Every structure is written in structure tokens, then in C-alpha cells.
Amino acid sequence: MLSPTPSFLLEKRGKYLTFPLKLFWRKLRGATCFPVDLKCISSCFVSLAVFGRAVHAMARVSDEFCFDPIDKGLALRSVNSSRSAYAYVFFSSMFFQHYCCTAAPQPCQKERQLSLACKLIIKSVLPIFRCVNMLERHVEKCNIYTNAKDHHITFQLLCRNGIVKTHNLAFQECDPLQAVFAKHLCPNVLRAHSRLLADIMVHFPTSQEEVTLSVTPTRVCFKSYTEENTDFPKTMVTEIQLNPDEFDFFQVGVDSEVTFCLRELRGLLAFSEATSVSVSIHFDTPGKPVAFSIEDVVLEASFILATLSDSRSEMASQEPACFSQMQESSKTCTDKSIDKDGGAEAAASKKPRWNRQAQNTVSGAPASPLAKQVRSVPTVSYRDTAGTGGTAATKADDRAVLEAESPYHKVRTLPITFTFYDRTVTYLRWHLEAAHYTQSQSSEVISPHVLFHISHSCDLHFPVPFVVLWSSFF
Amino acid sequence: MRFRAKIVDLACLNHFSRVINTIAKLAKTCTLRLTVNKLYFILSDRVANGGVSMWCELCQGNFFDEFQMEGVAADHNEIYLELMPENLSRALKTAQNAKAVKIKLTNKHSPCLKVAVELPSLSSSSRIVTHDIPVRVIPRRLWNDFREPVVPDFDVSIYLPVLKTMKSIVERMKNLSNYIVIEANLSGEMNLKIETDVVSVTTHFKDLGNPPWASEDGCQSSAQGRDLQSMAEVRIDIKKLQQLLVGQQVNPTKALCTGLVP
């Protein structure tokens, strides 16, 4: 029985073992010389304020961040201590007036990647960019350069009246961690100008820790979340209801309520206000992470926050993205664990032909005794065609049924989505759930099920005939 | 027990918010008394230990467009609620450009004052922000604790100078001493004094004016027979005075200080 990982999957890129300058020294395996001699010069930002705000945003997430220059630009990453928030800001080389990132590998090292990631303590960097307003007014130019030999990053601020401030900061080399989160697979996507989000968040007190975002196709609601006993509340509860019209882009595939930490998000909101780019929110069901991202020609940022998993489950622990499980359990459900590209092939093998008549067969319960015990058959209510905008109410209901009736002590769901290629249906997706569970009461082991749910967003404008293939064993 | 009220006018909303902000600065929790025509914010600390006691009376017609109140019983047509004015202040803070603000007493899981702010938005329907402020209903047997304080017989009553000036003076004096002496007489003169071992500072105010108090029952109050020039002085904790002055956000037409010398 595989247990879910306690944080979303973080991928390590490259392995570096070298000498951090602070307290602990990790021994290099073998060679004593440094892997790369990296010179990275980036200077004179198009907007110092934007860079300063990025550092402030990182500061909200963690005490240290990873400063990772690569060819294409400069990436800043940070992860909080409980691994429940990941912040990533990428400035492309065009953001800087001059950007140069070179690496000269030493002869003693063979397969080293040509990038050097440095871990910096926020407390040392933040004072440099502390007062963002002052930055714009007084600082004319800012140079940043690193020299791996010295283990220092130098921030040089050239201010007015010939004043030059040089800050040499020691860094620690680090394994850059990257969160793996497939935004394109999220059924719910909202996009709004940062001003709108700031206007919403202003209603919550600055001490408000957590906020719940709940969406249905007709309504968006942000509500403050408390873990208090509702019978004797002490704190004020604030709720903001909005019309979906207010968003630049609104897509709800699944009615859901996700709860995330507001404090960590405020950094991104301040940053996006400085850049005045729209903020996109990608999310799924509770438990799966929510991604807030902004994207521009010269920069890109995303904050991925873990969400509280469904309150119906016992532990309100912060659940991971299911991708780690997907990879692990691919052994058991081989054919079905497909990502988008493989989807076509696997689908071909069991090619569901889209035929609306077959819909009726689904509504009937399958003969399998398992279904009786487990759950009622999901009635696929595929609403007829044009623009009536079926909601994924079905899916949400099924989920409710799933969780409420499941007597099994461990249900691991494995969302695998693949888009059907024959049609140019961008919003219609199959959502397969392979549930792997054992029944605690009885001795028999129930083999995996495949359930086909159909979810589609409001924008479906034309009829798509389809067939639902029901299989109880695979 | 029912209460609903609605404010539509922005100026009224602004004024009401400022009153609430003032109260929020003075006390952490206070009592809100609702009657058919008035709202009262009451804080009755035991005055003996030098606490701040506050009584704020607002005429509902000045603020609310709609005001409906049904008390606990027909013969006691009032509601007493205990709440934290800070919450109310926060709820109204971001409502300054609202289309309408509705306040309602609800009891879903527990008694709450629900403040629903309707904000204008770019889309067709407005944004609605709801704040649920937890309150406690005060039972009738405790209502006697919240009676209107009687202005006691006094020696001197005087109009205060501009509060802002007074505030900045008191703030500087706060750094030097813990107690301040306020002296006033019936000729419109007032002094603020502090005295320590090292230094003594006095600020004099002139031509402040004294409010006329009609004496009740025609009998002479102790102020009547008083020499116009002689000063009555009281010594109070400077921090409490500063707390009062700092909180003042509503620009008063008149501020009075009455002193009774024991």
C-alpha cells in the first residue's frame, strides 16, 4: 500500500555537494575543486521595483531562497519549511539591460551542469531591496554578479550623486528544487487583473491566515477560514461574493472549495500589482495544490500552494499533487496511467467511440458486485449540447459519494486526464479515476476499478457524441 | 429579538465609521444598546480604579436609512449586545465607497451581527462583502449595570481647546511624567501642568469659554457661588488622557471638561 507523499512532488535537478559557507560543511565526494566558475552579470533592471517586489514576495514564503542563473534568465525559487508553498520567479534575460551568464567547467569535473544555484538568506538580501519606493527614486543602476570561487554574490547599487553601495553576500550552493505541477490539467482556471485580487484581499484582516476559495459556474466566493468551533466563534468571518463576469477568464470544470494560506500569497499579489499583469489561478479539488501565476514577455512567476484536503477526510493534512502517486502506481495500472501524449495511443487500444446512445448504458449499474458495495454508479448526465453549459455537478456529486460511502481505509485516487484528439474540443476531457483500495471489513481484495466520469466546462457549444466504456477489471 | 438597519448615504457611513473607530481605540469590548430611536455604545469600567468609562449616544435617524428593532420583550423594547468595536471598525473600513451597508442581527450557530456591504463593481451585479461579527446578548438582569452616568455636581466646567493641539501637548508631557494636573476656572482659563523633581511644565490656555449649565430644581450647584478666578485642579493619569485624545477622530463641535474637586 503506497502512502501519499506529504508534500507535492519536488524534483531535484542535478546534484551538487560543495562547501556552504555557513555552519555546516558537507564533504564533497572526491574532488576538492569547484565544479564551475560562473560569471553572471546582470545589471540595470528595467524596473528595480519589480525585482525588489519579487524578493519581498519570496520573503513571505521562506527565510532563504535559491538564486539560480541560467542562460535564458534568472530564476528565483523558494520553498517554505513545511514544503507547503513553492514560489518561483523567472526573469528572462530581456528583463535586464545586460545579462550574461557564462560557465567554464573545470577539467577535473566531467558531467556537471552548467548552472550554479545559490542559496541566499532572505534576511541578507531584503535590506538591499527593502524600501522599494526609494529604489526607483535613488538608484540608477544595479549590478549583480557572482563568482563561484569567492562564494559571494555581489549586489552593487549605483545611486544618485555618485554613491555606490556594494553588498557582498555569501551563499550556499543548493540543489534547486522545482515543484512539478501540471497547470494545464487543472479543470478550474480563473484569470483576473491583480487589482481585482488586491481589492478582494483588502477585506481580510492582515492577520487572516487562511482563505477558502469556492467556485461554481455561477459564483465565486472568497471566505476566511477558521478552525474554530462554530458554536462559540471569537473571530470575525468575512466572505466576499463575486460574479464570474469580473474575471477576465473563468472556467470551472469542477465545483470546488480550496483553502490555502493567504499570507504566503500576499507577496505574489504585491508583486503582480507592481508588474500589472493578470494573475491566473489554476486549481482542482480540495487537497490538490492551487497555482497562482503571472506571465509576461520578460518575466514569469508562480506560487504553488498546498490546499487543505477535504474536510470529510479525517486528517486535514495538506495533500500532495497526485503525480507522485501516478508514477508509483503506474506499475499496477499500467495502461491507464497515461499522460497527455500517451493518451491517444492507449485510448486507441480501447478506443471509446463517441456515441450518445451508449450513454444510457452507463446509467444502469454494472453487474459487478463491487459497484454495489462501493458506490452508486455515477450517472453521467451529459447535457445536450449547445451552450447550455453543463456543469461538472456530476463529478462533484460522485466525489461526495465516493468519500462518504467508502468504508475502505485507504482510497487513493489517481486522476489521469487525456484529451481526445480527434476533435477540436478543447474543454471536453475525460477524467479517469483509477481507485485502488482494499476493504477493511472483508478479507477479499477488490481489484482496481476504472470509473469514467465526464466533466465539461461551460463553454461547450456543440454536440459531441461519445461512448462511455465501462470496465470493472483491467 | 430582531434588528436590521441600512445605511445608504456615504457621508453618514463615513461619519458612523469614524465614531466606531474612536470607540475602538478606547475599549476592547463594549456594550451596544439598541432602542427604537437611539444607539448607545457603553463602556463602564469601574471608575474608581481610574478606568475609562464611556457613554456614547447616537440618534439612529442621523445615520441609518432604515432601522428596525424589536427588543427582547414588549415592555423592554431594547437589545443589549456585547461586542468588540474593533471588528465593526474593520468591517466598515473597506466600505467607504459602498452602495449600501446592511447590518442585521442573526443567530445561525451563535449570535452574530452581520454586516453586508454592497460594493460597486465593473460587472453587472455588485460585489457583496459579508462580515459576521460575533456578539453576546446581555441578559436583562444585567441591564442595570449600563445606566446612563449622571454628570455629578462639579466645580468647573470649561470648553476644551482644539483637541489636536491638546493632544500634541499631552503627548509631549507624557514623556516627562505619569500624572498631569488639569486646572480650570470659570473665566475660560485652563492650565495643563506636570511636575517632576527635575522639571515642571505648564501650558496655559485662555479665552476658552465656559458652558452654561442650567441648575436643576433651582438650587445652587457648587459651581454657582464660585470665585471666577480660582482654579479647580484635578490630577489624572496622563496615559488615560492621551488614550482618549488619540482616539478622537470625530471632530467635535464642542468638547467639555468638567471637574469636581473632592
Side-chain angles (χ1 to χ4, degrees):
Chain A
M1 190 71 71
L2 298 160
S3 53
T5 48
S7 65
F8 44 75
L9 181 71
L10 298 170
E11 198 180 69
K12 289 193 177 184
R13 247 188 17 175
K15 264 276 181 203
Y16 291 96
L17 292 171
T18 180
F19 301 103
L21 291 173
K22 301 198 68 204
L23 302 169
F24 15 83
W25 292 67
R26 267 180 293 157
K27 274 224 169 124
L28 252 194
R29 271 193 246 123
T32 50
C33 58
F34 294 107
V36 288
D37 180 21
L38 180 74
K39 265 198 216 64
C40 156
I41 300 169
S42 51
S43 60
C44 206
F45 310 122
V46 170
S47 170
L48 260 179
V50 173
F51 193 85
R53 290 235 182 266
V55 177
H56 280 266
M58 295 276 144
R60 289 241 176 205
V61 171
S62 167
D63 283 336
E64 49 190 27
F65 71 103
C66 204
F67 185 91
D68 189 6
I70 56 177
D71 292 352
K72 289 183 287 180
L74 176 65
L76 306 178
R77 282 179 236 270
S78 88
V79 181
N80 75 351
S81 50
S82 55
R83 301 280 171 110
S84 62
Y86 167 78
Y88 167 71
V89 182
F90 177 72
F91 295 99
S92 87
S93 52
M94 291 188 290
F95 180 77
F96 305 97
Q97 255 193 17
H98 174 69
Y99 184 81
C100 164
C101 183
T102 58
Q106 297 288 338
C108 59
Q109 299 302 320
K110 284 111 196 166
E111 322 141 350
R112 290 291 184 176
Q113 293 193 29
L114 297 180
S115 66
L116 172 69
C118 325
K119 187 154 67 164
L120 290 171
I121 307 284
I122 288 261
K123 269 198 300 206
S124 4
V125 185
L126 204 53
I128 305 172
F129 300 100
R130 175 157 302 276
C131 190
V132 178
N133 297 332
M134 299 279 286
L135 275 179
E136 290 270 74
R137 273 186 283 149
H138 294 269
V139 179
E140 285 165 7
K141 202 169 155 179
C142 174
N143 292 337
I144 304 180
Y145 45 93
T146 65
N147 193 337
K149 282 218 179 91
D150 293 344
H151 280 283
H152 277 99
I153 296 186
T154 307
F155 288 84
Q156 196 178 57
L157 300 173
L158 301 159
C159 310
R160 282 198 311 201
N161 303 323
I163 299 173
V164 177
K165 295 191 217 174
T166 310
H167 302 260
N168 290 325
L169 301 173
F171 65 80
Q172 207 176 326
E173 287 190 24
C174 72
D175 302 336
L177 294 177
Q178 213 172 355
V180 174
F181 179 67
K183 283 195 303 207
H184 57 273
L185 295 180
C186 287
N188 297 341
V189 181
L190 306 177
R191 185 163 66 233
H193 196 265
S194 51
R195 189 71 253 168
L196 171 70
L197 286 181
D199 282 346
I200 294 170
M201 298 310 171
V202 81
H203 297 284
F204 295 104
T206 40
S207 58
Q208 182 63 41
E209 295 255 352
E210 275 148 353
V211 153
T212 304
L213 162 62
S214 73
V215 290
T216 66
T218 52
R219 185 198 63 119
V220 178
C221 174
F222 286 86
K223 186 170 168 174
S224 55
Y225 174 85
T226 60
E227 285 179 5
E228 274 183 340
N229 189 354
T230 45
D231 287 339
F232 299 101
K234 289 264 180 58
T235 53
M236 195 164 95
V237 168
T238 304
E239 184 179 318
I240 299 156
Q241 295 231 6
L242 299 150
N243 198 298
D245 290 349
E246 299 214 47
F247 290 86
D248 296 340
F249 181 82
F250 182 79
Q251 172 189 308
V252 170
V254 175
D255 287 3
S256 92
E257 279 189 17
V258 289
T259 303
F260 51 87
C261 186
L262 180 59
R263 238 173 344 134
E264 281 150 3
L265 182 62
R266 283 195 202 265
L268 177 72
L269 295 181
F271 175 60
S272 59
E273 270 197 282
T275 56
S276 53
V277 180
S278 301
V279 178
S280 306
I281 311 175
H282 294 259
F283 60 105
D284 200 333
T285 47
K288 304 219 182 102
V290 53
F292 291 84
S293 51
I294 70 179
E295 209 169 300
D296 190 46
V297 181
V298 296
L299 61 80
E300 188 190 308
S302 34
F303 270 48
I304 302 178
L305 304 172
T307 62
L308 288 185
S309 58
D310 210 329
S311 53
R312 277 178 285 239
S313 61
E314 286 160 26
M315 294 293 133
S317 59
Q318 293 171 328
E319 284 256 17
C322 303
F323 300 95
S324 54
Q325 298 160 338
M326 184 160 97
Q327 287 160 23
E328 287 159 2
S329 61
S330 59
K331 305 164 210 141
T332 43
C333 346
T334 41
D335 300 321
K336 300 302 174 292
S337 59
I338 3 176
D339 62 354
K340 208 163 159 209
D341 290 325
E345 291 159 69
S349 59
K350 258 200 181 197
K351 189 151 180 138
R353 264 159 306 151
W354 306 82
N355 183 343
R356 212 186 310 161
Q357 298 151 347
Q359 181 188 315
N360 301 326
T361 64
V362 180
S363 340
S368 161
L370 311 167
K372 262 196 316 232
Q373 291 161 321
V374 176
R375 56 197 75 130
S376 53
V377 176
T379 45
V380 179
S381 59
Y382 173 63
R383 273 199 235 145
D384 215 313
T385 82
T388 47
T391 60
T394 313
K395 189 167 191 320
D397 290 340
D398 292 334
R399 253 183 202 282
V401 167
L402 258 171
E403 275 147 5
E405 294 183 13
S406 168
Y408 310 97
H409 61 242
K410 213 147 205 166
V411 176
R412 206 184 60 233
T413 59
L414 199 80
I416 304 153
T417 340
F418 56 99
T419 319
F420 205 61
Y421 283 92
D422 289 4
R423 316 262 180 202
T424 51
V425 178
T426 36
Y427 298 118
L428 180 66
R429 295 193 209 124
W430 278 102
H431 206 99
L432 286 174
E433 279 183 1
H436 181 65
Y437 46 80
T438 59
Q439 189 178 23
S440 50
Q441 273 87 15
S442 97
S443 54
E444 78 180 331
V445 174
I446 300 159
S447 55
H449 249 51
V450 173
L451 283 172
F452 285 57
H453 293 224
I454 301 186
S455 69
H456 52 83
S457 78
C458 321
D459 305 26
L460 196 59
H461 294 300
F462 47 87
V464 176
F466 65 90
V467 133
V468 173
L469 203 62
W470 183 264
S471 149
S472 53
F473 296 96
F474 62 92
Chain B
M1 209 176 14
R2 249 173 49 101
F3 170 60
R4 326 175 86 121
K6 183 164 155 185
I7 303 180
V8 171
D9 185 61
L10 278 182
C12 295
L13 177 61
N14 192 278
H15 196 176
F16 188 65
S17 309
R18 279 191 281 131
V19 172
I20 303 289
N21 290 343
T22 311
I23 294 166
K25 293 221 164 73
L26 287 175
K28 195 149 173 260
T29 51
C30 77
T31 305
L32 168 61
R33 176 182 165 198
L34 300 164
T35 62
V36 176
N37 291 319
K38 295 203 173 149
L39 294 112
Y40 302 83
F41 287 94
I42 305 165
L43 174 68
S44 62
D45 247 348
R46 298 284 157 251
V47 187
N49 68 0
V52 175
S53 165
M54 171 188 71
W55 174 272
C56 170
E57 193 175 307
L58 302 169
C59 190
Q60 63 92 345
N62 292 338
F63 298 98
F64 297 96
D65 248 26
E66 287 170 25
F67 191 91
Q68 295 158 20
M69 203 274 313
E70 270 171 35
V72 292
D75 52 341
H76 294 272
N77 199 15
E78 297 181 353
I79 303 176
Y80 281 68
L81 299 171
E82 185 182 293
L83 52 74
M84 291 176 54
E86 165 74 33
N87 284 341
L88 192 51
S89 152
R90 238 193 285 141
L92 296 174
K93 191 163 73 158
T94 49
Q96 293 311 309
N97 60 338
K99 281 195 205 163
V101 174
K102 293 194 196 143
I103 305 180
K104 185 173 156 185
L105 184 62
T106 62
N107 190 1
K108 260 188 279 188
H109 305 282
S110 67
C112 272
L113 208 56
K114 182 162 140 170
V115 178
V117 180
E118 197 184 321
L119 292 167
S121 79
L122 295 166
S123 81
S124 50
S125 63
S126 16
R127 240 178 255 175
I128 301 185
V129 184
T130 318
H131 301 270
D132 283 320
I133 302 170
V135 297
R136 193 175 71 93
V137 180
I138 299 177
R140 224 186 308 169
R141 60 172 194 275
L142 297 174
W143 286 11
N144 278 329
D145 290 350
F146 304 104
R147 274 174 304 187
E148 181 169 357
V150 178
V151 179
D153 274 349
F154 52 83
D155 286 331
V156 170
S157 171
I158 190 168
Y159 286 127
L160 288 176
V162 177
L163 286 183
K164 219 162 122 185
T165 318
M166 200 168 153
K167 182 178 97 165
S168 51
I169 292 170
V170 172
E171 216 171 286
R172 276 155 191 72
M173 287 182 166
K174 188 178 78 149
N175 298 330
L176 298 169
S177 165
N178 286 332
Y179 291 97
I180 188 172
V181 172
I182 301 183
E183 270 186 347
N185 68 16
L186 289 168
S187 310
E189 287 171 359
M190 185 174 94
N191 301 336
L192 296 174
K193 282 204 304 203
I194 49 163
E195 262 181 52
T196 62
D197 296 337
V198 188
V199 69
S200 80
V201 183
T202 313
T203 307
H204 304 266
F205 294 94
K206 286 201 300 206
D207 298 329
L208 293 172
N210 301 83
W213 286 87
S215 62
E216 294 169 5
D217 312 329
C219 65
Q220 305 242 333
S221 71
S222 55
Q224 295 278 330
R226 207 180 153 78
D227 172 25
L228 291 181
Q229 297 294 327
S230 79
M231 293 278 192
E233 63 175 54
V234 283
R235 188 162 173 264
I236 55 177
D237 187 337
I238 207 171
K239 288 202 182 58
K240 298 277 174 16
L241 177 63
Q242 214 241 346
Q243 194 184 19
L244 170 72
L245 292 171
V246 152
Q248 292 307 310
Q249 302 211 344
V250 189
N251 293 323
T253 332
K254 290 191 183 350
L256 296 172
C257 173
T258 55
L260 174 67
V261 182

